[in-house]
RNA sequence: GGGUGCUUAGCUCAGCUGGGAGAGCGUCGCCCUUACAAGGCGAAGGUCGUGGGUUCAAGCCCCUCAGCACCCACCA
């Protein structure tokens, strides 16, 4: 189905809170206790403001008296992750041949060996030599194709012996092979965990191809799927495709048209064969593309809306609704597409503002002199006029109400009626009434019992009920002729320019005619009512919640749904007619006959029409699970967990699924609806073929050269004259083509763009940044493997006391897991992505790896400590990979398979490993405080170095003065780290207030002095300090003003006031120290 | 005519129940320091659209206005 949008968000579905256990209570109490203790410690701390940029908790000497055990589990949000075992990785077997009509009984099959071993290690690096994209020269230099030897390593995806990674991150080398291995191993099938989790893929058009909206949406669904799978849920991502009635039929008709054949030339049966052939030919495209996205959907359960099974569901629903009086056939005014020759629903009509004319026409009074003037935008419909209406209170026309006027050109008399529908202020205040060609007029006609005169054919030409001279003319030709004739008769008063909303078909773009035909309708009100209630009472939750309003708005004003289409491609309506036109509905002709009590001699003909595509889509959540059979899948996975979709199909699809689900399953089809935004280009324009600004997700993954891109964008245009413009814009924007970014980078980009707003601008700069992130991860992993190589980390008997860096990085990881999980559970993929990005890059790579290097390179560090560090490197990396996996499935798997054995993990795939859980033991507030202080120290020195242009390699001799006892202790204990990371020669403690001229930085209560010598320009340093002082003083002024405000002190919460007091103290202290230094420099 | 959303650094956007504004990209310095130049280390840059209100305290809550976007709707 044509979703042009993208969405994401997850819901916390089916997570069982670990409440009620005695353990929870105990932990809760402990946490409270610890939290109070931590607060206490901070409160005691002398209130000096932390160094710029860091909030360093103040710890006093009392810290030393606190039981370290208390810091072992500092307070964290309770972990709501399930304590589940990793899901079994042995998939359920199923028959290779899929019998779509029958729900698949999930027979347990004997466990089979995973096909892992059969994957050749020497998979050929196929896409390296054939890479069609010429790259930029620089890229050639920086990212040369991996030589065969190396790519061999990278493609040996399941190798357990290789512990090294290729030197350069090359997504091509890993993605495809990994996906095939996953699929072959059956990793995407439900694993049978206790809690079901199910997402229905909005079925794309079977003959369509993947666009950015799909790619975005699929990324989010896959992330949710992988996340819940790792958390141990029994996960089904149900996939399949939609027959997309009108769209597909149009394509095939166009193909035939190029050969000069119409579908009528072929006849129904042959035409349908042609459509099926087209479906077979092009139907696999989108499935292949979905695989490129890494989508972990259960392909063994793939469905198509015109499968026998789903078709049976359609028939069943039609018959039942008919039996219940909720489907009826009637002659009504419908939206008619005169090009496609079919009725369409209200939703398929899009109104666009277009320039038109307003013709003022004189209708002579039948009796006596005079006339009325009517204004119309559609003069040709006057042939079907049956009245002229005025407002009942309109003074001007009181005299003529009830009289008749002579309809020009038609030789008919029509009455003047009074109806409040008329707006006396618009035009002349007189309206021509044409009930057969206007929805408003239709209503007026019903009120006044007016006849209906249809003057059009199916093709919107004038029919034989109109005056002879117009018959056979197209509506616009007729319009011109009629206007001419009126002018000749002197009945045309004037023509005004007029902007009007023109209804057009969303597929054909033809101007839609209100047209009187026999159609099938769903009586919608009885279905809408419970569907409204389900959202009102929260059985279905919209995310973001404001979409409720849109939903309610539409559902409360909903009109009957016209479901019949005069097409051939689709589900044929199960109704038959006898010679008199009596309707017989049944699942089969035999059933219809039987119900009607008809003998075999009665000739029945089936209704020619098919059902609206959305009719079958509305049943998707249960028809794909086997309904109307009562299958185990249906019992397990219905209601599904969340629907991920765009706001453009809330009415088309979401609302209808809710109505049908409630009606036929007695329950909602999904518990949450995550509505995502629309993907636009970097300039905020909607992507469309005609604008020539389409980006193909696959091109972002694989890269594409400029010429090919230009070719893609300029062929098959509706308006070929736009091609030069599109080509120029494309050449400007993508001068070097599009480089290959890989699927993981694309997915991460989508996740990070999935904010709550309506639109998502896709900017290449963003994806490039995340490709770099992939590269960063890759290289960090290479480093870890390099450091760990040849060392056994799995020795479980050794218990080394964790060093500070390790305690710190585990605490930060703990934090990242918490933020990520909370964000994910709230469908905030952007925040989740940000959390993992910051952790891996800014904390693990920028700091922890650097700290580890210092330790591992230091000859004096005991081997036991180094072992701990190696273990931590591997373990933190391994956990990070699991955290990242839902968003970046490929690179995480590739690396994990090499890292996992080092930490004693034997799983065959990361995708069935447990998602990281929060361990209280991993959070250490003390370690964070210590590290923050050390970092502040290092950053202070670095800043002095940078601002004074001291060469990075130059080792500095610094002096420190003052500092709280624990700061002194930290500096002493971690001098190695400080010296290496700040590049120091020596750290010398000086006493007293007197010191030489030096550049100054503050870390807590410690003053860092970098002696001037010949390295530092006093002028630079004076400027730097002056600026810093000004900032501090301004801050102090504000803080003091606040504290001087009595009502602030009286009314603000005590902790806020305390904070301000501490701030003031900190500032005064820092100002004092800096002022002293500045004075000295200025001497 | 109804309805919804948006307006924060040059650009694209975060900012959770109100307690001294952040990120990415871009820009400017200095570095090819043996995981990564797809990199490292530093820096600059914002009266949070306007006007008012509530509050000790407003990017955040209320009202006004302005601009932008979208959805729905029968003004001929």
């Amino acid at each position: 189905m044509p979703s042009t949008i993208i969405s994401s968000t997850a819901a916390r579905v089916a997570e069982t809170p670990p409440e009620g256990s005695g353990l929870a209570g105990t932990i809760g109490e402990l946490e409270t206790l610890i939290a109070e203790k931590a607060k206490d410690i901070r409160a005691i701390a002398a209130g000096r403001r932390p160094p710029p940029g860091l909030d360093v908790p103040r710890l006093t000497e009392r810290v030393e008296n606190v039981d370290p055990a208390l810091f072992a589990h500092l307070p964290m949000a309770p972990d709501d992750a399930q304590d589940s075992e990793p899901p079994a990785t042995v998939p359920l077997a199923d028959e290779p041949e899929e019998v779509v009509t029958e729900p698949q009984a999930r027979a347990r099959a004997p466990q089979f060996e995973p096909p892992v071993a059969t994957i050749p290690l020497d998979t050929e690096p196929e896409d390296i030599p054939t890479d069609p994209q010429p790259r930029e020269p620089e890229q050639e230099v920086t990212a040369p194709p991996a030589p065969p030897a190396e790519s061999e390593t990278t493609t040996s995806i399941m190798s357990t012996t290789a512990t090294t990674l290729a030197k350069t991150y090359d997504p091509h080398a890993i993605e495809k092979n990994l996906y095939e291995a996953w699929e072959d191993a059956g990793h995407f099938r439900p694993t049978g965990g206790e809690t079901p989790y199910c997402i229905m893929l909005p079925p794309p058009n079977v003959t369509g191809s993947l666009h950015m909206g799909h790619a975005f949406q699929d990324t989010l669904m896959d992330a949710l799927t992988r996340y819940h799978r790792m958390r141990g849920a029994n996960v089904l991502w149900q996939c399949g495709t939609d027959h997309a009635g009108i769209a597909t039929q149009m394509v095939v008709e166009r193909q035939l048209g190029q050969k000069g054949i119409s579908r009528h030339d072929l006849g129904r049966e042959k035409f349908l064969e042609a459509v099926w052939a087209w479906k077979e030919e092009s139907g696999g495209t989108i499935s292949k593309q979905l695989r490129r996205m890494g989508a972990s959907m259960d392909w063994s359960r793939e469905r198509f809306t015109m499968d026998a099974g789903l078709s049976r569901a359609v028939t069943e629903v039609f018959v039942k609704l008919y039996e219940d009086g909720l489907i009826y056939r009637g002659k009504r005014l419908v939206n008619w597409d005169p090009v496609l020759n079919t009725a369409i629903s209200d939703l398929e009509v899009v109104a666009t503002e277009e320039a038109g004319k307003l013709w003022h026409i004189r209708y002579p009074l039948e009796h006596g002199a005079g006339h009325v003037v009517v204004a119309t935008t559609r003069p040709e419909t006057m042939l079907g006029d049956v009245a002229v209406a005025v407002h009942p209170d309109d003074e001007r026309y009181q005299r003529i109400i009830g009289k008749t006027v002579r309809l020009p050109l038609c030789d008919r008399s029509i009455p003047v009626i009074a109806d409040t529908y008329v707006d006396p202020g618009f035009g002349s205040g007189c309206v021509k009434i044409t009930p057969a060609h206007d929805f408003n007029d239709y209503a007026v006609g019903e009120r006044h019992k007016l006849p209906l005169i249809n003057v059009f054919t199916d093709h919107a030409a004038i029919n034989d009920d109109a005056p002879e001279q117009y018959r056979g003319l197209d509506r616009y030709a007729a319009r011109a002729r009629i206007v001419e004739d009126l002018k000749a008769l002197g009945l045309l008063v004037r023509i005004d320019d007029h902007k009007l909303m023109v209804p057009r078909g969303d597929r054909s773009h033809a101007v839609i005619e209100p047209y009187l035909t026999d159609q099938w309708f769903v009586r919608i009100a009885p279905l809408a009512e419970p569907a409204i209630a389900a959202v009102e009472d929260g059985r279905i939750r919209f995310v973001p919640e404001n979409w409720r309003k849109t939903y309610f708005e539409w559902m409360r004003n909903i009109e009957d749904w016209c479901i019949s289409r005069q097409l051939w491609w689709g589900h044929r309506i199960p109704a038959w007619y006898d010679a008199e036109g009596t309707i017989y509905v049944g699942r089969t002709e035999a059933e219809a006959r039987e119900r009607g009590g008809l003998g075999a001699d009665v000739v029945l003909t089936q209704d020619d029409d098919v059902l609206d595509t959305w009719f079958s889509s509305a049943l998707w959540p249960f028809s794909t699970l086997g309904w109307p059979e009562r299958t185990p899948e249906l019992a397990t996975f219905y209601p599904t967990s969340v629907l991920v979709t765009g706001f453009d199909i809330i009415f088309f699809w979401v609302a209808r699924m809710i109505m049908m689900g409630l009606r036929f399953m007695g329950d909602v089809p999904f518990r949450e609806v995550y509505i995502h935004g629309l993907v636009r280009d970097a300039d905020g324009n909607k992507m469309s073929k005609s604008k020539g600004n389409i980006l193909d997700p696959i091109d972002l993954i694989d890269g594409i050269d400029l010429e090919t891109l230009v070719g893609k964008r300029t062929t098959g245009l509706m308006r070929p004259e736009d091609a030069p413009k599109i080509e120029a814009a494309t050449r400007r924007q993508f001068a070097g083509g599009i480089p290959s970014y890989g699927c993981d980078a694309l997915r991460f980009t989508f996740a990070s763009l999935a904010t709550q707003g309506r639109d998502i601008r896709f900017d290449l700069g963003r994806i490039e940044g995340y490709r770099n992130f992939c590269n960063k991860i890759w290289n960090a992993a290479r480093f870890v493997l390099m450091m760990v190589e040849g060392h056994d980390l799995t020795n479980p008997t050794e218990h080394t006391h964790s060093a500070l860096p390790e305690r710190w990085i585990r605490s930060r990881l703990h934090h990242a897991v918490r933020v990520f999980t909370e964000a994910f559970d709230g469908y905030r993929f952007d925040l989740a992505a940000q959390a993992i990005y910051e952790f891996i890059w800014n904390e693990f790579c920028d700091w922890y790896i650097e700290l580890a290097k210092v330790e591992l390179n230091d000859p004096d560090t005991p081997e036991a400590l180094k072992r701990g560090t190696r273990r931590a490197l591997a373990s933190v990396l391994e956990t990070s990979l699991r955290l990242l996996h839902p968003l970046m499935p490929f690179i995480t798997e590739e690396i994990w398979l090499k890292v996992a054995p080092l930490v004693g993990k034997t799983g065959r795939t990361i995708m069935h490993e447990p998602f990281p859980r929060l361990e209280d033991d991993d959070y250490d507030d003390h370690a964070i405080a210590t590290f923050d202080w050390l970092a502040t120290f290092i950053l202070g020195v670095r800043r002095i170095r940078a601002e004074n242009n001291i060469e990075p390699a130059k080792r500095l001799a610094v002096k420190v003065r003052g500092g709280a006892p624990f700061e002194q202790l930290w500096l002493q204990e971690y001098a190695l780290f400080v010296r290496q990371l700040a590049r120091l020669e020596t750290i010398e403690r000086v006493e007293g207030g007197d010191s030489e001229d030096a550049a100054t930085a503050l870390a807590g209560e410690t003053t860092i002095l970098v002696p001037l010598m010949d390295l530092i320009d006093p002028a630079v340093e004076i400027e730097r300090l002056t600026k810093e002082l000004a900032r501090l003083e301004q801050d102090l002024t504000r803080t003091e003003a606040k504290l001087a405000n009595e009502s602030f002190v009286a009314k603000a919460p005590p902790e806020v006031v305390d904070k301000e007091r501490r701030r003031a103290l900190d500032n005064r202290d820092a100002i004092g120290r800096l002022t002293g230094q500045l004075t000295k420099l200025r001497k």
Side-chain angles (χ1 to χ4, degrees), chain A residues 649-694:
Chain A
I649 53 175
I650 290 179
F651 306 143
F652 275 109
W653 193 45
V654 180
R656 287 162 178 171
M657 281 191 286
I658 295 173
M659 291 189 275
M660 292 300 190
L662 287 167
R663 181 86 191 173
F664 291 96
M665 291 296 297
D667 201 349
V668 296
F670 28 74
R671 304 193 189 283
E672 298 192 296
V673 183
Y674 173 71
I675 303 288
H676 60 237
L678 179 75
V679 179
R680 296 173 174 274
D681 72 8
D683 301 319
N685 298 309
K686 200 165 166 171
M687 289 191 190
S688 71
K689 179 77 186 160
S690 60
K691 285 199 193 102
N693 61 348
I694 297 265

Coordinates of all heavy atoms in Angstrom, one line a residue, chain A residues 649-694:
Chain A
I649 N -1.9 7.8 5.8 CA -2.9 6.7 5.6 C -3.6 6.4 6.9 O -4.1 5.3 7.1 CB -2.2 5.5 5.1 CG1 -1.0 5.0 5.9 CG2 -1.8 5.7 3.6 CD1 -0.4 3.7 5.4
I650 N -3.7 7.4 7.8 CA -4.6 7.1 9.0 C -6.0 6.8 8.6 O -6.6 5.9 9.1 CB -4.5 8.4 9.9 CG1 -3.1 8.5 10.6 CG2 -5.6 8.2 11.0 CD1 -3.0 9.7 11.5
F651 N -6.5 7.6 7.6 CA -7.9 7.4 7.2 C -8.0 6.2 6.3 O -8.9 5.3 6.5 CB -8.4 8.6 6.5 CG -8.3 9.9 7.3 CD1 -8.0 11.1 6.7 CD2 -8.4 9.8 8.7 CE1 -7.8 12.2 7.4 CE2 -8.3 11.0 9.4 CZ -8.0 12.2 8.8
F652 N -7.1 6.1 5.4 CA -7.2 5.0 4.4 C -7.2 3.6 5.1 O -7.8 2.7 4.7 CB -6.0 5.1 3.4 CG -6.2 6.0 2.3 CD1 -5.5 7.2 2.2 CD2 -7.1 5.7 1.3 CE1 -5.7 8.1 1.1 CE2 -7.3 6.5 0.2 CZ -6.6 7.7 0.1
W653 N -6.3 3.6 6.0 CA -5.9 2.2 6.5 C -6.1 2.0 8.0 O -6.7 1.1 8.4 CB -4.4 2.0 6.1 CG -4.0 0.6 6.2 CD1 -4.7 -0.5 5.8 CD2 -2.8 0.1 6.8 NE1 -4.0 -1.7 6.1 CE2 -2.8 -1.3 6.7 CE3 -1.7 0.7 7.4 CZ2 -1.7 -2.1 7.1 CZ3 -0.6 -0.1 7.8 CH2 -0.7 -1.5 7.7
V654 N -5.5 2.9 8.8 CA -5.5 2.7 10.2 C -6.9 2.6 10.7 O -7.3 1.7 11.4 CB -4.7 3.9 10.9 CG1 -4.7 3.6 12.4 CG2 -3.3 4.0 10.4
A655 N -7.7 3.6 10.4 CA -9.1 3.6 10.9 C -9.8 2.4 10.4 O -10.6 1.8 11.2 CB -9.8 4.9 10.4
R656 N -9.6 2.0 9.2 CA -10.4 0.9 8.7 C -9.9 -0.4 9.3 O -10.7 -1.3 9.5 CB -10.2 0.8 7.1 CG -11.1 1.9 6.5 CD -10.7 2.2 5.1 NE -11.5 3.3 4.5 CZ -11.2 3.8 3.3 NH1 -10.1 3.4 2.6 NH2 -12.0 4.7 2.8
M657 N -8.6 -0.6 9.6 CA -8.2 -1.8 10.3 C -8.8 -1.8 11.7 O -9.2 -2.9 12.2 CB -6.7 -1.8 10.5 CG -5.9 -2.2 9.2 SD -4.2 -2.5 9.5 CE -3.6 -0.8 9.7
I658 N -8.9 -0.7 12.3 CA -9.5 -0.7 13.7 C -11.0 -1.1 13.6 O -11.4 -2.0 14.4 CB -9.4 0.7 14.3 CG1 -7.9 1.1 14.5 CG2 -10.1 0.8 15.6 CD1 -7.7 2.5 15.0
M659 N -11.7 -0.6 12.6 CA -13.1 -0.9 12.5 C -13.3 -2.4 12.2 O -14.1 -3.1 12.8 CB -13.8 -0.1 11.4 CG -13.9 1.4 11.7 SD -14.9 2.3 10.6 CE -13.7 2.7 9.3
M660 N -12.5 -2.9 11.2 CA -12.7 -4.3 10.9 C -12.2 -5.3 11.9 O -12.8 -6.3 12.2 CB -11.9 -4.6 9.5 CG -12.5 -3.9 8.3 SD -14.2 -4.4 8.0 CE -14.5 -3.7 6.4
G661 N -11.1 -4.9 12.6 CA -10.5 -5.7 13.6 C -11.5 -5.9 14.8 O -11.8 -7.0 15.3
L662 N -12.1 -4.7 15.2 CA -13.1 -4.8 16.3 C -14.3 -5.6 15.9 O -14.8 -6.4 16.7 CB -13.5 -3.4 16.6 CG -12.5 -2.6 17.4 CD1 -12.9 -1.1 17.5 CD2 -12.3 -3.1 18.8
R663 N -14.7 -5.5 14.6 CA -15.9 -6.2 14.2 C -15.7 -7.7 14.1 O -16.5 -8.5 14.5 CB -16.3 -5.7 12.8 CG -17.6 -6.3 12.2 CD -18.8 -5.6 12.7 NE -20.0 -6.3 12.3 CZ -21.2 -5.9 12.8 NH1 -21.3 -4.8 13.6 NH2 -22.3 -6.6 12.5
F664 N -14.5 -8.1 13.5 CA -14.4 -9.5 13.2 C -13.5 -10.3 14.2 O -13.6 -11.5 14.3 CB -13.9 -9.7 11.8 CG -14.9 -9.3 10.8 CD1 -14.9 -8.0 10.2 CD2 -15.9 -10.2 10.5 CE1 -15.9 -7.7 9.3 CE2 -17.0 -9.8 9.6 CZ -17.0 -8.6 9.0
M665 N -12.7 -9.5 14.9 CA -11.9 -10.2 15.9 C -12.3 -9.9 17.3 O -11.9 -10.5 18.3 CB -10.4 -9.8 15.8 CG -9.7 -10.3 14.5 SD -9.6 -12.1 14.5 CE -8.6 -12.4 15.9
G666 N -13.2 -8.9 17.4 CA -13.7 -8.5 18.8 C -12.6 -7.9 19.6 O -12.8 -7.7 20.8
D667 N -11.5 -7.5 19.0 CA -10.5 -6.7 19.7 C -9.8 -5.8 18.7 O -9.8 -6.0 17.5 CB -9.5 -7.7 20.4 CG -8.8 -7.1 21.5 OD1 -8.8 -5.9 21.7 OD2 -8.1 -7.9 22.3
V668 N -9.0 -4.9 19.3 CA -8.3 -3.9 18.5 C -7.2 -4.7 17.7 O -6.7 -5.7 18.2 CB -7.6 -2.9 19.4 CG1 -8.7 -2.0 20.1 CG2 -6.7 -3.5 20.4
P669 N -6.8 -4.2 16.6 CA -5.8 -4.9 15.8 C -4.4 -4.6 16.3 O -3.5 -5.3 15.9 CB -6.0 -4.3 14.4 CG -6.7 -3.0 14.6 CD -7.5 -3.1 15.8
F670 N -4.2 -3.5 17.0 CA -2.9 -3.2 17.5 C -3.1 -2.3 18.7 O -4.1 -1.6 18.9 CB -2.0 -2.4 16.5 CG -2.9 -1.7 15.5 CD1 -3.5 -0.5 15.9 CD2 -3.1 -2.1 14.2 CE1 -4.3 0.2 15.0 CE2 -3.9 -1.4 13.3 CZ -4.5 -0.3 13.7
R671 N -2.2 -2.3 19.6 CA -2.3 -1.6 20.9 C -1.8 -0.1 20.8 O -2.2 0.8 21.5 CB -1.7 -2.3 22.0 CG -2.2 -3.7 22.2 CD -1.7 -4.3 23.5 NE -2.0 -5.7 23.5 CZ -3.3 -6.2 23.7 NH1 -4.3 -5.4 23.9 NH2 -3.5 -7.5 23.7
E672 N -0.9 0.0 19.9 CA -0.3 1.4 19.7 C -0.1 1.7 18.2 O 0.1 0.8 17.4 CB 1.1 1.5 20.4 CG 1.0 1.3 21.9 CD 2.3 1.6 22.6 OE1 3.3 1.0 22.3 OE2 2.2 2.6 23.4
V673 N -0.2 2.9 17.9 CA 0.0 3.4 16.6 C 1.1 4.4 16.6 O 0.8 5.5 17.2 CB -1.3 4.0 15.9 CG1 -1.0 4.3 14.5 CG2 -2.5 3.0 16.0
Y674 N 2.2 4.1 16.1 CA 3.3 5.1 16.0 C 3.2 5.8 14.7 O 3.4 5.2 13.6 CB 4.6 4.5 16.3 CG 5.7 5.5 16.1 CD1 5.9 6.5 17.0 CD2 6.5 5.5 14.9 CE1 6.9 7.5 16.8 CE2 7.5 6.4 14.7 CZ 7.7 7.4 15.6 OH 8.7 8.4 15.4
I675 N 3.0 7.1 14.7 CA 2.8 7.9 13.5 C 4.1 8.7 13.2 O 4.5 9.4 14.1 CB 1.7 8.9 13.6 CG1 0.4 8.1 13.9 CG2 1.6 9.7 12.3 CD1 -0.2 7.3 12.7
H676 N 4.8 8.4 12.1 CA 6.0 9.1 11.8 C 5.8 10.2 10.8 O 4.8 10.3 10.2 CB 7.0 8.1 11.4 CG 6.6 7.4 10.1 ND1 6.5 6.0 10.0 CD2 6.2 7.9 8.9 CE1 6.1 5.7 8.8 NE2 5.9 6.8 8.1
G677 N 6.9 10.9 10.6 CA 6.8 12.0 9.6 C 7.1 11.6 8.2 O 7.4 10.5 7.9
L678 N 7.0 12.6 7.4 CA 7.2 12.4 5.9 C 8.7 12.7 5.6 O 9.2 13.8 6.0 CB 6.3 13.3 5.2 CG 6.3 13.3 3.6 CD1 5.6 12.0 3.1 CD2 5.6 14.5 3.1
V679 N 9.3 11.9 4.8 CA 10.7 12.1 4.4 C 10.7 13.1 3.3 O 10.1 12.9 2.3 CB 11.4 10.9 4.0 CG1 12.9 11.2 3.6 CG2 11.4 9.8 5.1
R680 N 11.4 14.2 3.5 CA 11.6 15.2 2.5 C 13.1 15.3 2.1 O 13.9 14.8 2.7 CB 11.1 16.6 3.0 CG 9.6 16.5 3.3 CD 9.2 17.8 4.0 NE 7.7 17.8 4.1 CZ 6.9 18.2 3.2 NH1 7.3 18.7 2.1 NH2 5.6 18.1 3.4
D681 N 13.3 16.1 1.0 CA 14.7 16.3 0.7 C 15.3 17.3 1.5 O 14.7 17.9 2.4 CB 14.8 16.6 -0.8 CG 14.4 18.0 -1.2 OD1 14.1 18.8 -0.3 OD2 14.3 18.3 -2.4
A682 N 16.6 17.6 1.3 CA 17.4 18.5 2.2 C 16.8 19.9 2.2 O 16.9 20.6 3.2 CB 18.8 18.5 1.8
D683 N 16.0 20.3 1.2 CA 15.4 21.6 1.2 C 14.0 21.6 1.7 O 13.3 22.6 1.6 CB 15.4 22.1 -0.3 CG 16.9 22.2 -0.8 OD1 17.7 22.6 -0.1 OD2 17.1 21.9 -2.0
G684 N 13.6 20.5 2.1 CA 12.2 20.4 2.7 C 11.1 20.1 1.7 O 10.0 20.2 2.0
N685 N 11.5 19.8 0.5 CA 10.5 19.5 -0.5 C 10.2 18.0 -0.5 O 11.0 17.1 -0.2 CB 11.0 19.8 -1.9 CG 11.3 21.3 -2.1 OD1 10.5 22.1 -1.8 ND2 12.6 21.6 -2.5
K686 N 8.9 17.8 -0.7 CA 8.5 16.4 -0.8 C 9.2 15.7 -2.0 O 9.4 16.3 -3.0 CB 7.0 16.4 -1.1 CG 6.2 15.1 -0.8 CD 4.7 15.4 -0.7 CE 4.0 14.1 -0.7 NZ 2.5 14.3 -0.5
M687 N 9.6 14.5 -1.7 CA 10.3 13.8 -2.8 C 9.3 13.3 -3.8 O 8.4 12.6 -3.4 CB 11.1 12.6 -2.3 CG 12.3 13.1 -1.5 SD 13.4 11.7 -1.1 CE 14.5 12.4 0.1
S688 N 9.5 13.6 -5.1 CA 8.6 13.0 -6.1 C 9.4 12.9 -7.4 O 10.3 13.6 -7.7 CB 7.4 13.8 -6.2 OG 7.7 15.0 -6.9
K689 N 9.0 11.9 -8.1 CA 9.6 11.6 -9.4 C 9.5 12.9 -10.3 O 10.5 13.2 -11.0 CB 8.8 10.5 -10.1 CG 9.3 10.1 -11.5 CD 10.6 9.3 -11.4 CE 11.2 9.1 -12.8 NZ 12.6 8.7 -12.8
S690 N 8.3 13.5 -10.3 CA 8.2 14.6 -11.2 C 9.0 15.8 -10.8 O 9.5 16.6 -11.6 CB 6.7 15.1 -11.2 OG 6.3 15.5 -9.9
K691 N 9.4 15.9 -9.5 CA 10.3 17.0 -9.1 C 11.7 16.6 -9.4 O 12.6 17.4 -9.3 CB 10.1 17.3 -7.6 CG 8.9 18.1 -7.3 CD 9.0 18.7 -5.9 CE 7.7 19.2 -5.3 NZ 7.1 18.3 -4.3
G692 N 11.9 15.3 -9.6 CA 13.3 14.9 -9.9 C 14.2 15.0 -8.7 O 15.4 15.0 -8.8
N693 N 13.6 14.9 -7.5 CA 14.5 15.0 -6.3 C 14.4 13.7 -5.5 O 14.7 13.7 -4.3 CB 14.0 16.2 -5.4 CG 12.6 16.0 -4.9 OD1 11.9 15.1 -5.4 ND2 12.2 16.8 -4.0
I694 N 14.1 12.6 -6.1 CA 14.0 11.3 -5.5 C 15.4 10.9 -5.1 O 16.4 11.0 -5.8 CB 13.4 10.3 -6.4 CG1 12.0 10.6 -6.7 CG2 13.5 8.9 -5.8 CD1 11.0 10.0 -5.9

